Each structure stands twice: as structure tokens, then as C-alpha cells.
Amino acid sequence: MHFADFLAGSVGGACGVAVGYPFDTVKVRIQTQKQFSGIWQCFVKTLEKEGVHGFFKGMSLPVTTVSMTSSVVFGTYRNCLQCLSQFHGLGAPNTKLDVFLSGLAGGVAQISVMSPGDIVKVRLQCQTESVRGGGGGTNLATPKYRGPVHCLVSIVCEDGPRGLYKGALPLALRDGPSFATYFLTYQTLCEWQTPAGQKETEWTAVLLAGGVAGMAGWSVGTPMDVIKARLQMDGAREQKRYRGLVHCVTETVRVEGSTVFFKSLGINCLRAFPVNMVVFAVYELAVRVLRKPETVTHI
């Protein structure tokens, strides 16, 4: 078993969160709140009303959970590749289908760890009330959640432990195909840019492949990401609107049209490129340090 990939994925994921969180906040707000009409308008309104802090609401928990989920994704992916290689025969190279299926397995495997942190993240990001100024005589609404831990406890008290897994099905439907595309794109681009006989991929190739892979993954995952965010916010700030996944999809299309599923694609891709450049660069660096030199190859 490749334990180095679990640790390397954990470090890479944590670094990726730090780089991409402000973009993620804007993305979630565009997806779930009609008061925001576009990326720039959402950015300006958030900055004016909440300051820089508004872009980092709920970040502490995702740094921890994404570190764990990234560990599960990369570790599951690498070990699935190893199992499939052994299935083909000793020393047999992995096929593109192996890469796709291993990425799919990694994306689905992390849902049990990711879902609780993800719903807390979304709830806090959509909390536009500012806590700045305290009771300073203005008519500012009081935020429902005081922080990640309070949000987590509130969800459990209101909906039970199952509430932490609200939106888990669309999350799995998003991340399975998304990570399958993600790893397949990265692997393919690394192979194209690595000369025959060279074991390690050049860093420029790692950065480019990581950035493009992130954009490709989010292009596949964005439609279900919209549904996931809406189900997670359903009933949190207003009356419950959706009966389930299918009803959310049909109601969203009926009210806003099918183009709403790609409303946040621009911000997703804008965020995905730098984030996944960092994720794969840190991952590859950590793997090359942790593994023996003669066994190191790109994933």
C-alpha cells in the first residue's frame, strides 16, 4: 500500500484550500443567492459589506476536512491504480480506463469525510450578515452561526446527525465523475510533456497539467455542484423548498432555466487553475521526498 500518497495528498489539499477559498466563497454565493448577479458584483458587495474577512468565512474547518479528504482521494486513487496493475499482470502499465476508474473511486470514497465539513462551509459562506461593529446602532441582522463549531452543533441539533450529510448524494455525483476526469487529464498531460525514458515530470509540466486538470474536473462537476449547494442551504435561511435531488433539479430548471447549472463555471475555472497547480506541485514534491528515488514517477 502507498501510504506516502495519503500524506502527500493531505498536505497538497490543505495548501489548495488556502489559495482558493476566496474564489470558493464567491462561487457558493452566486449559486445559492439571487442578490448576486455575477462574479465581480458578488466580490464588490462582499468586500463592501463584510470586508476581506467575508471571503474567508468558515475556512478553519475546511482546512482540516479538505486535508483529510484530499488524503483519501489521492491515497485511494494511487492504491486503486496499484490493484488494477496487479490485476493486469506483474509489471503491466495502467491503462487510461484504470486511471479513470481509480479517480472515480477516489472521488466517491472521500464523501463520508467531506460532507459534514462541506455543509458547514456552505452555510457559513452564505451567511452574508457581518459581525463587524457588534451592537453599533445600525440595523445589521445578527448572524445565525457564530463560527464553524457552532454551525456544526446547530445542524446536528436541528436535523440530527443525518443533517451533516444533506447533499451527500449530489456531492458523490459531482466528485466521482469530476475526479475521474481530473486524474485522467493530469495523467495524460504529464505523459505528453514527459520525454520517453524520463522518470520524473518537469515542474512546469506539473503546474500546467495540474491547472488544466482542475479546470477539466470542474467543467464536469459544476452542474451537480449547483444542486449540491442548494440542497445544503435548503431550509437554513427560509422555508424548505426541495423534496429531494430530482425535485431540486426540475424546480431549478423550471424557475431559472438550464443555464443556471453553469452560472458559476467561470469562477470555478478561475479558482481551479491556481488551486490545482498548487495541489499537484505540493503533492509531487511531498511524494518525491517520501518515496525512494528509484520508485518515484508522476501519478
Side-chain angles (χ1 to χ4, degrees), residues 129-142:
E129 297 84 5
S130 177
V131 295
R132 294 183 304 164
T138 61
N139 294 322
L140 291 175
T142 303

Side-chain angles (χ1 to χ4, degrees), residues 27-28 34 56-57 62 66 74 111 115 151 155 170 189 200 204 212-213 230 257-258 265 270 273 278 281 289 296:
K27 175 208 74 171
V28 169
K34 294 180 181 180
F56 294 92
K57 283 183 174 179
V66 170
F74 279 88
I111 301 304
S115 189
C151 181
I155 293 171
L189 289 178
E200 294 186 2
T204 52
V212 174
R230 293 190 175 203
S258 58
L265 180 59
L270 184 65
F273 196 89
V278 171
V289 170
V296 174

Side-chain angles (χ1 to χ4, degrees), residues 31 226-227 230 241-242 245-261:
Q31 288 176 339
V226 174
I227 298 302
R230 293 190 175 203
R241 297 172 55 193
Y242 307 118
L245 174 64
V246 175
H247 182 247
C248 182
V249 173
T250 55
E251 192 67 10
T252 297
V253 172
R254 185 184 68 81
V255 175
E256 301 174 63
S258 58
T259 56
V260 72
F261 294 120

